[in-house]
Amino acid sequence: MIPVIATTNSATNVEADAIVLGVEQDRPLRGSTAAVDAATNGLISRLIAQGEISAKRLSLTSLLAPAGIKAAQVVIVGLGQPSGDDGALAYKSAAAAAKLLAAKPRKSVAFFLDVGPKSLAIAGALNGCVGQDLYRAEKKITPFEQILWADVDERSLREGSILGHAIQDTRRWINEPANQIFPESLAAECVRLGKTCGFEVEVWDEKRLKQERCGALLAVSAGSDQPPCLVIMRYRGGPNSRAPLGLVGKGVTFDSGGLSLKTSESMVDMKCDMAGAATVMGAMQAIALLKLPTNVVGLIGCVENMVSGRSFKLGDVLTARNGRTIEVLNTDAEGRLVLADVLDVARQEKCSHLVDLATLTGACVVALGRYVAGVMTNNQAWCDRVLAAARQAGEDAWQLPMFADFDDHIKSDVADIKNIGDGRWGGAITAAKFLEQFVGDTPWTHIDIAGPSFLERPLAWVDAGASGALVRTLVRLVAELGAES
Ligand code: BES
Ligand code: MN
Ligand code: ZN
């Protein structure tokens, strides 16, 4: 845990290895930035005039040992022309400055950023200084020993710190390789979370999954030597009478594709296929630590999709927990099979609403690009609330249609449904249409995070690998639900 501490020191006087300031485009310098400019004899305004400092959104400039202030380094982050509620800018600007500074070990970095919600900016700072190099002796990104934050109230500080650490943990679970994170170790992590954060955890092992007739989930797991499990995390922050929100996550700890084997190129990052589950776990952690006043059940289905003499096969017909029969035409469309059974368990938990998160389809990345989550629903009002939460959290999510015509695409000649659509077009939607078969009439929103959850290349504000996408959105959504009760 990186401590985040409020400082009342000014930017010119603070004792820190570095300070972070913002500059806005075509607007006069203000606040701490103006104060540092004055103390350094107009250094910042001069460099802006000379075009050495850019105020373009997320551009970074580093100044070493400017005379007139205590800190040995100043990082100036461009904010473009910010609006006060820009959550994405708050998170990313703090994260980008942190990432630049984390290239070297630092004791303390002081942030004098005044853009958007402070809790999001703090969460960003906590994540900019953490990378994917878990197993490198010589780190490319070294976490700060502490973070100082100026002009912040206790509440934002606490919220930002809890949220930021939950996102760090989510990223770490995803970045851990599949020889470290497999169904049982992921479940053990949930049990640990339940104890430290304060929620009840129930783990269904393989035997229980058989008793519960989770035939779709179990089929995916059949080829693996790692036993599957399903984890139910029950957080009670609201009145007992209130039906919980259900958060469901795809926890495929490695997706080889099964007998419909992936190429090495598409398999190489498939440790990330439990990102949906990790996102639910991170959200549960933050929701419980923030003591949000509502009830939430997190459910994750954990399996490894592997190849062996026991693997499920093309043409197999499975019976899902809800009784629907499924013809398997591609063992690489495994996520929807796992979620089919987990969604049915979520219904049994009497959830009032459902959200599921899954690295479900490459097609969603084709449709929306690498950085945007795809959102699909059976209930527009519920979807609108999820989209509003994403907007407020500063995360990019975009709805795809669920037109009834798509239902025909998953009809099977031998079973109730088949696990792939006809042809490759609209693959994100046919996958969602498949999931819809298992939610009954519960308002449900599906979020395909195949693009944003895991990055091939680093960005200015986040290392390559796991991004922690959508944790902020879920926490925001639950906070909104709590506020209305
Ligand atoms: N886990 C993959 C989807 C994925 C792709 C996640 C890229 C992250 C990055 C999923 O299980 C999968 O293999 N989907 C197939 C579905 C197809 C067989 C209908 C796909 O997208 O190709
Ligand atoms: Mn797959
Ligand atoms: Zn998968």
Side-chain angles (χ1 to χ4, degrees), residues 250 255 273 334 359:
K250 169 179 173 181
D255 182 12
D273 215 16
E334 86 297 341
T359 46

Side-chain angles (χ1 to χ4, degrees), residues 250 252 255-257 262 270 273 305 330-335 359-360:
K250 169 179 173 181
V252 174
D255 182 12
S256 73
K262 289 183 183 292
M270 280 303 136
D273 215 16
N305 187 20
N330 190 317
T331 61
D332 198 11
E334 86 297 341
T359 46
L360 205 62

Side-chain angles (χ1 to χ4, degrees), residues 181-255:
I181 291 283
F182 42 86
E184 284 177 334
S185 64
L186 197 58
E189 198 66 8
C190 294
V191 170
R192 185 187 67 76
L193 280 186
K195 287 192 186 120
T196 56
C197 309
F199 53 79
E200 179 190 307
V201 180
E202 183 177 332
V203 180
W204 291 5
D205 62 6
E206 187 162 20
K207 184 167 152 241
R208 177 74 186 268
L209 287 163
K210 282 180 184 152
Q211 286 166 358
E212 297 279 347
R213 300 174 182 278
C214 292
L217 183 152
L218 284 166
V220 177
S221 170
S224 172
D225 288 342
Q226 297 287 354
C229 58
L230 188 155
V231 186
I232 308 174
M233 297 167 269
R234 299 185 185 90
Y235 166 72
R236 295 192 177 86
N240 274 335
S241 58
R242 192 163 170 185
L245 164 68
L247 300 177
V248 171
K250 169 179 173 181
V252 174
T253 58
F254 187 72
D255 182 12

